[in-house]
Amino acid sequence: MGEVRVTTRTAQELAVPVRGGDLAVTRWPGEGPAVIALHGITGNSLSFGAVAEHLGDIDLYAPDLRGRAHSAALPAPYGIPAHVEDVLAVLDHLDLRQALLLGHSLGAFTTAVAAARHPDRFPRVVLVDGGLGFPIPGGADTDEVIESVIGPAMRRLRTTFPDRGAYRALFREHPAFTAHWGPHIQAYVDRDLTGEPPEIRSSCVLDAIRADGAGPIGDPETLAAIHQPQVRGTMLWAQRGVMNEPQGLYDEERLATADLSPDRITTRRVDDTNHYTILFATNATVAIAEAVHAELKQM
């Protein structure tokens, strides 16, 4: 494993030209190799603020995906192929031949598709509680399926709040965050906000969430990506679920059924974490940093 140490890092804001406008990218600068990090379906770049503290000198870039936070104004089409196009634009803008991709949840599915399509640009990946899909029966309602997986997040996108405090309170009371609230989570929550009191709301574009959510639950390319021979790296999975329930998105049985090749994808459970705190709990951010350093050695 590479050296993992805690550093205090000051983030910078970049604007990367993409189709339809500028993609907002948060950078935690470092002298080491570049890593591009892709957040979850209703997240934003500051999902990786706590992870950045443990990455040492790695040069970390995390976009706000199209339709979220400071990239909310970017137009459709949405969906995983659009995010792959955008992350390629980030790589080209940075004048990089290749980079390691780190993805959480939806970002992990996007990472797997990007690596399957462009293994020369993304030769190694770290997937965090995502990337491995389980198809649903045909004819199911996309909104209902997404809402069943990500809990109250879809309802939150349709709600207005009187002020920032009310929005923060929603997250502080969320069972996934209650025991882990701190500056990194608050910054992540605040970046999602748009509007003015008394009509504060999430910046997430509902059409973007619908389009993106359809990938992991029914798109053949997305579901097949992690099984492609050119996709190589580490998959870390949370012990607990989206609402901090005992059953996580993955478990040993589900992984065994998926029959992932250990020669290509190393899997590891991160104990005492749920789908969200796997990006914020100290033991999890250390595990992610270790995986990133180990995968960089393979590039």
Side-chain angles (χ1 to χ4, degrees):
M1 296 295 181
E3 180 184 0
V4 177
R5 56 190 177 86
V6 178
T7 57
T8 300
R9 309 183 72 180
T10 301
Q12 302 173 349
E13 295 289 327
L14 307 178
V16 175
V18 295
R19 177 178 42 80
D22 287 338
L23 186 76
V25 179
T26 302
R27 178 192 183 192
W28 290 268
E31 298 299 321
V35 171
I36 300 176
L38 306 179
H39 63 72
I41 192 166
T42 62
N44 59 67
S45 62
L46 294 190
S47 298
F48 297 98
V51 174
E53 301 288 339
H54 288 91
L55 287 178
D57 291 331
I58 284 171
D59 201 12
L60 181 64
Y61 297 84
D64 289 331
L65 296 180
R66 181 177 293 262
R68 284 88 165 166
H70 297 184
S71 300
L74 284 172
Y78 305 110
I80 286 176
H83 298 316
V84 172
E85 176 186 325
D86 288 343
V87 77
L88 281 170
V90 173
L91 200 63
D92 291 340
H93 182 77
L94 299 175
D95 197 25
L96 293 172
R97 183 177 67 86
Q98 59 181 209
L100 183 143
L101 272 185
L102 162 65
H104 170 247
S105 193
L106 173 79
F109 286 96
T110 304
T111 290
V113 172
R117 287 187 176 188
H118 307 283
D120 56 324
R121 309 300 300 275
F122 309 112
R124 306 297 298 192
V125 301
V126 175
L127 311 174
V128 181
D129 220 36
L132 176 63
F134 302 94
I136 62 169
D141 181 83
T142 300
D143 277 12
E144 290 181 0
V145 174
I146 296 172
E147 192 161 337
S148 73
V149 174
I150 62 175
M154 288 289 282
R155 295 188 293 277
R156 166 171 56 86
L157 305 188
R158 304 185 184 97
T159 304
T160 57
F161 300 84
D163 52 40
R164 286 177 174 265
Y167 195 64
R168 290 172 181 167
L170 181 74
F171 280 84
R172 295 194 72 146
E173 295 165 4
H174 191 293
F177 289 109
T178 300
H180 294 272
W181 187 264
H184 286 302
I185 296 178
Q186 181 169 307
Y188 157 74
V189 168
D190 286 353
R191 190 175 179 90
D192 180 45
L193 287 175
T194 191
E196 298 293 335
E199 294 187 352
I200 296 283
R201 60 180 175 80
S202 168
S203 61
C204 293
V205 176
L206 195 56
D207 284 347
I209 305 306
R210 290 193 182 105
D212 292 349
I217 62 177
D219 174 60
E221 181 187 14
T222 301
L223 294 171
I226 196 173
H227 300 286
Q228 300 305 308
Q230 63 270 35
V231 179
R232 297 177 173 273
T234 299
M235 178 184 178
L236 303 174
W237 50 281
Q239 181 179 14
R240 302 177 68 83
V242 172
M243 299 296 289
N244 202 40
E245 68 273 28
Q247 176 62 58
L249 296 182
Y250 303 105
D251 55 32
E252 297 286 0
E253 182 178 351
R254 290 178 179 179
L255 291 172
T257 301
D259 195 27
L260 292 176
S261 169
D263 294 334
R264 290 190 306 105
I265 303 292
T266 300
T267 62
R268 174 184 170 189
R269 187 179 79 178
V270 184
D271 292 338
D272 302 319
T273 60
N274 59 52
H275 182 67
Y276 294 105
T277 60
I278 197 169
L279 292 180
F280 295 102
T282 299
N283 67 308
T285 54
V286 169
I288 292 170
E290 289 176 344
V292 167
H293 281 284
E295 293 302 332
L296 284 170
K297 286 183 178 181
Q298 302 298 314
M299 291 178 60

mmCIF file of all heavy atoms in Angstrom, residues 6 17 29 42 54 97 104 146 153 171 179 184 192 195 214 222 224-225 247 251 272 292 299:
data_model
loop_
_atom_site.group_PDB
_atom_site.id
_atom_site.type_symbol
_atom_site.label_atom_id
_atom_site.label_comp_id
_atom_site.label_asym_id
_atom_site.label_seq_id
_atom_site.Cartn_x
_atom_site.Cartn_y
_atom_site.Cartn_z
ATOM 1 N N VAL A 6 -2.696 12.243 6.569
ATOM 2 C CA VAL A 6 -3.702 13.293 6.601
ATOM 3 C C VAL A 6 -3.041 14.631 6.304
ATOM 4 O O VAL A 6 -2.001 14.966 6.880
ATOM 5 C CB VAL A 6 -4.398 13.343 7.977
ATOM 6 C CG1 VAL A 6 -5.417 14.467 8.018
ATOM 7 C CG2 VAL A 6 -5.062 12.011 8.279
ATOM 8 N N PRO A 17 -14.399 23.592 -20.326
ATOM 9 C CA PRO A 17 -15.365 23.666 -21.430
ATOM 10 C C PRO A 17 -15.841 22.273 -21.847
ATOM 11 O O PRO A 17 -15.036 21.369 -22.091
ATOM 12 C CB PRO A 17 -14.557 24.324 -22.556
ATOM 13 C CG PRO A 17 -13.410 24.998 -21.886
ATOM 14 C CD PRO A 17 -13.085 24.157 -20.684
ATOM 15 N N PRO A 29 -5.127 20.475 -5.197
ATOM 16 C CA PRO A 29 -3.860 20.346 -5.931
ATOM 17 C C PRO A 29 -2.814 19.550 -5.176
ATOM 18 O O PRO A 29 -2.735 19.578 -3.940
ATOM 19 C CB PRO A 29 -3.417 21.799 -6.132
ATOM 20 C CG PRO A 29 -4.117 22.572 -5.064
ATOM 21 C CD PRO A 29 -5.403 21.864 -4.797
ATOM 22 N N THR A 42 -27.132 12.140 -6.605
ATOM 23 C CA THR A 42 -27.584 13.457 -6.148
ATOM 24 C C THR A 42 -26.483 14.185 -5.384
ATOM 25 O O THR A 42 -26.740 15.083 -4.597
ATOM 26 C CB THR A 42 -28.839 13.349 -5.251
ATOM 27 O OG1 THR A 42 -28.524 12.590 -4.084
ATOM 28 C CG2 THR A 42 -29.995 12.716 -6.002
ATOM 29 N N HIS A 54 -6.833 12.522 2.897
ATOM 30 C CA HIS A 54 -6.014 11.327 3.109
ATOM 31 C C HIS A 54 -5.234 10.897 1.872
ATOM 32 O O HIS A 54 -4.579 9.854 1.894
ATOM 33 C CB HIS A 54 -6.902 10.162 3.576
ATOM 34 C CG HIS A 54 -7.391 10.311 4.978
ATOM 35 N ND1 HIS A 54 -8.582 10.929 5.275
ATOM 36 C CD2 HIS A 54 -6.848 9.954 6.167
ATOM 37 C CE1 HIS A 54 -8.747 10.934 6.589
ATOM 38 N NE2 HIS A 54 -7.719 10.339 7.149
ATOM 39 N N ARG A 97 -2.699 12.244 -20.655
ATOM 40 C CA ARG A 97 -2.937 11.061 -21.479
ATOM 41 C C ARG A 97 -3.874 10.103 -20.773
ATOM 42 O O ARG A 97 -4.737 9.479 -21.413
ATOM 43 C CB ARG A 97 -1.613 10.361 -21.801
ATOM 44 C CG ARG A 97 -1.756 9.155 -22.730
ATOM 45 C CD ARG A 97 -0.406 8.547 -23.059
ATOM 46 N NE ARG A 97 0.221 7.939 -21.893
ATOM 47 C CZ ARG A 97 -0.018 6.681 -21.489
ATOM 48 N NH1 ARG A 97 -0.867 5.923 -22.152
ATOM 49 N NH2 ARG A 97 0.592 6.197 -20.423
ATOM 50 N N HIS A 104 -18.014 6.991 -6.915
ATOM 51 C CA HIS A 104 -18.913 6.544 -5.853
ATOM 52 C C HIS A 104 -20.333 6.426 -6.404
ATOM 53 O O HIS A 104 -20.825 7.335 -7.076
ATOM 54 C CB HIS A 104 -18.909 7.541 -4.692
ATOM 55 C CG HIS A 104 -19.978 7.284 -3.665
ATOM 56 N ND1 HIS A 104 -21.041 8.147 -3.444
ATOM 57 C CD2 HIS A 104 -20.157 6.254 -2.805
ATOM 58 C CE1 HIS A 104 -21.805 7.661 -2.487
ATOM 59 N NE2 HIS A 104 -21.299 6.513 -2.081
ATOM 60 N N ILE A 146 -35.660 4.186 -8.563
ATOM 61 C CA ILE A 146 -34.619 5.066 -8.027
ATOM 62 C C ILE A 146 -34.952 5.463 -6.597
ATOM 63 O O ILE A 146 -34.104 5.431 -5.703
ATOM 64 C CB ILE A 146 -34.450 6.313 -8.914
ATOM 65 C CG1 ILE A 146 -33.958 5.928 -10.304
ATOM 66 C CG2 ILE A 146 -33.475 7.292 -8.277
ATOM 67 C CD1 ILE A 146 -33.950 7.072 -11.289
ATOM 68 N N ALA A 153 -34.091 10.892 -1.090
ATOM 69 C CA ALA A 153 -33.380 11.851 -1.933
ATOM 70 C C ALA A 153 -34.249 12.377 -3.067
ATOM 71 O O ALA A 153 -34.249 13.577 -3.356
ATOM 72 C CB ALA A 153 -32.105 11.220 -2.496
ATOM 73 N N PHE A 171 -30.493 16.787 6.553
ATOM 74 C CA PHE A 171 -29.373 15.854 6.474
ATOM 75 C C PHE A 171 -28.897 15.428 7.859
ATOM 76 O O PHE A 171 -28.533 14.258 8.059
ATOM 77 C CB PHE A 171 -28.222 16.483 5.689
ATOM 78 C CG PHE A 171 -28.401 16.427 4.203
ATOM 79 C CD1 PHE A 171 -29.145 17.398 3.561
ATOM 80 C CD2 PHE A 171 -27.853 15.400 3.452
ATOM 81 C CE1 PHE A 171 -29.333 17.364 2.193
ATOM 82 C CE2 PHE A 171 -28.031 15.350 2.083
ATOM 83 C CZ PHE A 171 -28.780 16.336 1.441
ATOM 84 N N ALA A 179 -24.619 10.261 12.965
ATOM 85 C CA ALA A 179 -23.449 10.060 13.827
ATOM 86 C C ALA A 179 -22.159 10.594 13.213
ATOM 87 O O ALA A 179 -21.103 10.500 13.847
ATOM 88 C CB ALA A 179 -23.284 8.569 14.131
ATOM 89 N N HIS A 184 -17.008 18.522 6.620
ATOM 90 C CA HIS A 184 -17.002 18.024 5.244
ATOM 91 C C HIS A 184 -18.414 17.726 4.747
ATOM 92 O O HIS A 184 -18.759 18.034 3.592
ATOM 93 C CB HIS A 184 -16.134 16.770 5.129
ATOM 94 C CG HIS A 184 -14.677 17.043 5.190
ATOM 95 N ND1 HIS A 184 -14.031 17.879 4.314
ATOM 96 C CD2 HIS A 184 -13.719 16.592 6.046
ATOM 97 C CE1 HIS A 184 -12.742 17.933 4.598
ATOM 98 N NE2 HIS A 184 -12.537 17.170 5.650
ATOM 99 N N ASP A 192 -24.916 21.868 -2.623
ATOM 100 C CA ASP A 192 -26.074 21.411 -3.385
ATOM 101 C C ASP A 192 -27.170 22.466 -3.480
ATOM 102 O O ASP A 192 -28.049 22.360 -4.322
ATOM 103 C CB ASP A 192 -26.636 20.130 -2.743
ATOM 104 C CG ASP A 192 -27.841 19.579 -3.485
ATOM 105 O OD1 ASP A 192 -27.786 19.523 -4.731
ATOM 106 O OD2 ASP A 192 -28.838 19.226 -2.830
ATOM 107 N N GLY A 195 -31.109 28.888 -5.104
ATOM 108 C CA GLY A 195 -32.282 29.681 -4.774
ATOM 109 C C GLY A 195 -32.047 30.603 -3.585
ATOM 110 O O GLY A 195 -30.947 30.656 -3.024
ATOM 111 N N ALA A 214 -31.477 5.629 -14.802
ATOM 112 C CA ALA A 214 -31.900 4.555 -15.697
ATOM 113 C C ALA A 214 -30.739 3.653 -16.087
ATOM 114 O O ALA A 214 -30.949 2.472 -16.403
ATOM 115 C CB ALA A 214 -32.544 5.150 -16.952
ATOM 116 N N THR A 222 -24.167 -0.288 -19.333
ATOM 117 C CA THR A 222 -23.804 0.050 -17.955
ATOM 118 C C THR A 222 -23.693 -1.202 -17.102
ATOM 119 O O THR A 222 -22.754 -1.352 -16.309
ATOM 120 C CB THR A 222 -24.846 1.012 -17.349
ATOM 121 O OG1 THR A 222 -24.917 2.191 -18.150
ATOM 122 C CG2 THR A 222 -24.481 1.385 -15.923
ATOM 123 N N ALA A 224 -23.036 -4.194 -18.050
ATOM 124 C CA ALA A 224 -21.968 -5.090 -18.499
ATOM 125 C C ALA A 224 -20.574 -4.526 -18.265
ATOM 126 O O ALA A 224 -19.588 -5.279 -18.303
ATOM 127 C CB ALA A 224 -22.144 -5.387 -19.991
ATOM 128 N N ALA A 225 -20.482 -3.225 -18.009
ATOM 129 C CA ALA A 225 -19.168 -2.568 -18.026
ATOM 130 C C ALA A 225 -18.169 -3.192 -17.064
ATOM 131 O O ALA A 225 -17.015 -3.463 -17.415
ATOM 132 C CB ALA A 225 -19.335 -1.075 -17.732
ATOM 133 N N GLN A 247 -28.752 -4.188 5.735
ATOM 134 C CA GLN A 247 -28.489 -4.709 4.397
ATOM 135 C C GLN A 247 -27.951 -3.603 3.510
ATOM 136 O O GLN A 247 -28.628 -2.619 3.220
ATOM 137 C CB GLN A 247 -29.761 -5.283 3.778
ATOM 138 C CG GLN A 247 -29.588 -5.763 2.335
ATOM 139 C CD GLN A 247 -28.581 -6.907 2.208
ATOM 140 O OE1 GLN A 247 -28.739 -7.957 2.826
ATOM 141 N NE2 GLN A 247 -27.534 -6.694 1.411
ATOM 142 N N ASP A 251 -23.383 -7.484 -0.708
ATOM 143 C CA ASP A 251 -22.931 -8.385 0.347
ATOM 144 C C ASP A 251 -22.178 -9.521 -0.329
ATOM 145 O O ASP A 251 -22.064 -9.573 -1.560
ATOM 146 C CB ASP A 251 -24.105 -8.892 1.199
ATOM 147 C CG ASP A 251 -25.201 -9.568 0.377
ATOM 148 O OD1 ASP A 251 -24.873 -10.194 -0.670
ATOM 149 O OD2 ASP A 251 -26.378 -9.493 0.766
ATOM 150 N N ASP A 272 -18.498 -0.822 9.292
ATOM 151 C CA ASP A 272 -19.021 0.323 10.041
ATOM 152 C C ASP A 272 -19.250 1.543 9.159
ATOM 153 O O ASP A 272 -19.043 2.692 9.590
ATOM 154 C CB ASP A 272 -18.087 0.683 11.203
ATOM 155 C CG ASP A 272 -17.883 -0.476 12.155
ATOM 156 O OD1 ASP A 272 -18.878 -1.168 12.449
ATOM 157 O OD2 ASP A 272 -16.742 -0.714 12.584
ATOM 158 N N VAL A 292 -6.565 3.745 -3.796
ATOM 159 C CA VAL A 292 -6.083 4.647 -4.845
ATOM 160 C C VAL A 292 -4.577 4.507 -5.033
ATOM 161 O O VAL A 292 -4.074 4.367 -6.155
ATOM 162 C CB VAL A 292 -6.470 6.104 -4.525
ATOM 163 C CG1 VAL A 292 -5.702 7.082 -5.416
ATOM 164 C CG2 VAL A 292 -7.974 6.309 -4.689
ATOM 165 N N MET A 299 -0.409 1.404 -12.722
ATOM 166 C CA MET A 299 -0.505 2.164 -13.970
ATOM 167 C C MET A 299 0.884 2.384 -14.593
ATOM 168 O O MET A 299 1.887 2.390 -13.914
ATOM 169 C CB MET A 299 -1.189 3.519 -13.726
ATOM 170 C CG MET A 299 -2.677 3.364 -13.386
ATOM 171 S SD MET A 299 -3.498 4.937 -13.022
ATOM 172 C CE MET A 299 -3.260 5.822 -14.575
#
